[in-house]
Amino acid sequence: QVQLVESGGGSVQAGGSLRLTCTVSKRSDNDVCLGWFRRAPGADREAVATTFSNGGDTVYVHSVRGRFTLSQDNAKNTLYLQMSDLKPEDTATYYCAAATAIKREFCWAKTWAYNYWGQGTQVTVSS
């Protein structure tokens, strides 16, 4: 079982930056896929970036490449999403998620299989 708690959302103007934080609590030492997702008003949930808990390839959705950076501090059991050059289209509720039954090479390909979710944090970008 995995518990995830996000923080760090807020309101910024276009071009600004925010850093989202996700505290990850696991009952076992098994490695898992971790990811950031977002849901904009009226839109489907979208995977923003995924990685594997003990390191590995991080994959980003095309629209955030070069602007967002996913990182993790395993000593603190924390996942981060540094967001820079924010745009109004980045406005959404952002969720941290974990997948316990996906192999590391499928962390991005099988985003439908993420089975643990945080409560979400709102990011609003004004023009």
Side-chain angles (χ1 to χ4, degrees), residues 10-85:
S11 298
V12 296
Q13 290 189 328
S17 299
L18 284 172
R19 188 177 78 162
L20 305 183
T21 299
C22 175
T23 302
V24 182
S25 301
K26 296 186 294 169
R27 287 191 176 182
S28 73
D29 290 331
N30 293 338
D31 291 305
V32 298
C33 289
L34 296 169
W36 286 100
F37 295 73
R38 65 186 179 187
R39 186 190 298 271
D44 292 333
R45 186 176 64 205
E46 175 185 47
V48 176
T50 62
T51 191
F52 199 64
S53 60
N54 75 348
D57 292 342
T58 299
V59 181
Y60 299 91
V61 67
H62 179 76
S63 61
V64 308
R65 289 176 194 166
R67 301 189 298 120
F68 290 13
T69 302
L70 184 155
S71 61
Q72 53 184 323
D73 184 336
N74 288 335
K76 297 181 179 180
N77 295 318
T78 303
L79 191 72
Y80 302 100
L81 186 68
Q82 178 67 47
M83 306 184 294
S84 302
D85 190 22

Side-chain angles (χ1 to χ4, degrees), residues 78-112:
T78 303
L79 191 72
Y80 302 100
L81 186 68
Q82 178 67 47
M83 306 184 294
S84 302
D85 190 22
L86 283 160
K87 303 177 180 182
E89 52 264 41
D90 295 317
T91 294
T93 301
Y94 283 70
Y95 299 89
C96 178
T100 56
I102 308 174
K103 294 182 179 180
R104 62 188 298 158
E105 58 264 37
F106 296 123
C107 290
W108 178 260
K110 295 186 177 181
T111 55
W112 48 266

